[in-house]
Amino acid sequence: CGFWPGTLWYLYEATQDTVWLHAAENVTRILLPEAYRKARSHDSGFIMMPSVGNAYRLTGDTMYAQALHHAADSLAELYNPKVGTILSWPGMVKKMNWPHNTIIDNMMNLELLLSMSKAYADDSLQNIACTHANTTIQHHFRDDYSTYHLVDYDPETGAVRGKQTVQGFSDDSSWSRGQAWGLYGYTCMYRLTGDARYLEQARGIAGFLINHRNMPADGIPYWDFDAPALASTPRDASAAAIMASALVELSGFVPAAEGERYMAFAEKQIRTLASPEYTAPAGENGGFILRHSTGAYPFSSEVDVPLTYVDYYYLEALTRIKRRLQP
């Protein structure tokens, strides 16, 4: 629910039209009570940062900062210091016998902790975010910078009980949106901490993605890099939009030639997404901008559909490109 107001905030930032400002404020304020409730999953970062986070960034209103701080404290309650990560899905603890499960998506929620750590000089929030990121590097990633979707930990010892997928092709495959979450998450971690380990991780993931043998020529990944690379295999526009947004930001943290390669690949992805193949005519596609995303293929859920977060990260990528191109 955070992505729709986030989309409105990016429309306001791009146009400075107060129509979008008022719309963004109205929807964001509907969500504010969520910041004061107990975190029900790691998704509180996804809810808060696109909506309330962008509201605070663009208006400076301390009401939004206070809400974000409460949300960060609530998210931190899911952290297990014995494991060193935030619990992703409390509902799966008993249902799937995953007593402390952590998914790669969780990297996207660390920005909430780090931003509030800086705003309120709360070192505990930064320590949680960094320990989670470090533990994820240690246990989620393979030598080639591909990632498992979910790692199941023993909550008492921190030992790894298993590594598997939920939304990917197989336990050992590389689910494309998960790879994009990792790229984006570690790029963000470097921006907010300056820790070279996170930059190196982001660069490694970027290389894995850009150079993958199954990356289609147009830059829009199949829903999983290990799924059959066939014309009928669903693509995932959301993975491309997330990846493009991350690459634009990452390009500013590396040597010029490397940054140009990242920008060129992001531009290819954005131009493909902006083409009639992926951009729906106005008034169609349920009102969404982009087509051809894949939510959870193994469950036949959200296959070849529009998704609210693909529009959000697409507009974020465009906004970041605009910033980079402005003198």
Side-chain angles (χ1 to χ4, degrees):
C1 58
F3 292 113
W4 168 234
T7 294
L8 296 173
W9 282 113
Y10 274 129
L11 289 172
Y12 167 63
E13 182 174 6
T15 66
Q16 294 298 298
D17 189 328
T18 56
V19 168
W20 299 118
L21 171 63
H22 297 324
E25 288 177 328
N26 289 339
V27 181
T28 300
R29 286 172 180 168
I30 293 172
L31 286 181
L32 278 179
E34 287 291 321
Y36 297 91
R37 294 175 183 155
K38 181 178 177 65
R40 290 166 285 185
S41 77
H42 75 103
D43 282 339
S44 59
F46 277 128
I47 295 169
M48 289 294 116
M49 289 308 292
S51 57
V52 184
N54 277 318
Y56 181 48
R57 180 175 65 85
L58 292 172
T59 70
D61 191 327
T62 56
M63 169 184 67
Y64 296 128
Q66 292 166 4
L68 290 169
H69 194 201
H70 277 275
D73 285 341
S74 181
L75 177 61
E77 292 179 9
L78 295 176
Y79 176 72
N80 182 331
K82 294 180 180 178
V83 176
T85 69
I86 295 167
L87 172 65
S88 292
W89 291 326
M92 293 295 188
V93 169
K94 292 183 178 179
K95 183 178 180 180
M96 298 297 295
N97 188 28
W98 292 333
H100 186 90
N101 58 83
T102 298
I103 57 176
I104 190 62
D105 316 40
N106 214 328
M107 286 300 305
M108 299 294 288
N109 298 287
L110 304 184
E111 184 176 13
L112 172 60
L113 300 179
L114 287 173
S115 62
M116 290 302 99
S117 173
K118 292 180 180 296
Y120 288 91
D122 187 344
D123 290 342
S124 66
L125 294 176
Q126 175 161 334
N127 289 338
I128 290 172
C130 291
T131 304
H132 179 104
N134 297 342
T135 305
T136 300
I137 289 174
Q138 181 180 0
H139 294 304
H140 262 82
F141 285 90
R142 308 177 186 103
D143 291 342
D144 64 356
Y145 291 97
S146 64
T147 178
Y148 291 96
H149 182 196
L150 180 147
V151 177
D152 171 28
Y153 295 95
D154 185 313
E156 298 300 324
T157 67
V160 173
R161 289 165 27 106
K163 300 182 180 184
Q164 55 252 334
T165 194
V166 178
Q167 291 169 264
F169 180 71
S170 69
D171 288 345
D172 294 319
S173 71
S174 299
W175 175 48
S176 61
R177 189 163 62 252
Q179 293 293 150
W181 292 142
L183 172 64
Y184 190 112
Y186 282 102
T187 301
C188 178
M189 286 295 298
Y190 177 70
R191 166 170 40 94
L192 294 173
T193 69
D195 191 322
R197 290 176 295 175
Y198 303 140
L199 178 59
E200 188 63 25
Q201 189 71 14
R203 294 167 77 181
I205 301 168
F208 172 85
L209 286 166
I210 291 172
N211 300 315
H212 199 283
R213 66 188 184 283
N214 287 336
M215 173 65 80
D218 62 7
I220 312 301
Y222 297 106
W223 70 277
D224 190 296
F225 282 102
D226 294 292
L230 306 173
S232 59
T233 303
R235 303 288 192 93
D236 186 9
S238 74
I242 297 159
M243 182 180 170
S245 183
L247 285 174
V248 174
E249 181 170 54
L250 183 60
S251 70
F253 299 147
V254 297
E258 183 180 352
E260 289 173 4
R261 291 196 298 273
Y262 294 156
M263 282 294 291
F265 200 89
E267 179 181 348
K268 176 169 66 173
Q269 292 179 307
I270 291 298
R271 288 189 179 278
T272 302
L273 292 174
S275 72
E277 175 68 19
Y278 284 89
T279 295
E284 298 183 12
N285 202 39
F288 292 87
I289 301 171
L290 295 177
R291 302 183 283 204
H292 307 316
S293 288
T294 301
Y297 185 85
F299 303 100
S300 299
S301 174
E302 299 176 333
V303 177
D304 194 17
V305 295
L307 294 170
T308 185
Y309 46 87
V310 62
D311 286 1
Y312 173 80
Y313 288 108
Y314 176 61
L315 290 179
E316 181 179 79
L318 290 170
T319 302
R320 287 176 167 179
I321 290 172
K322 183 178 180 180
R323 290 190 205 126
R324 289 292 305 276
L325 295 179
Q326 286 176 334

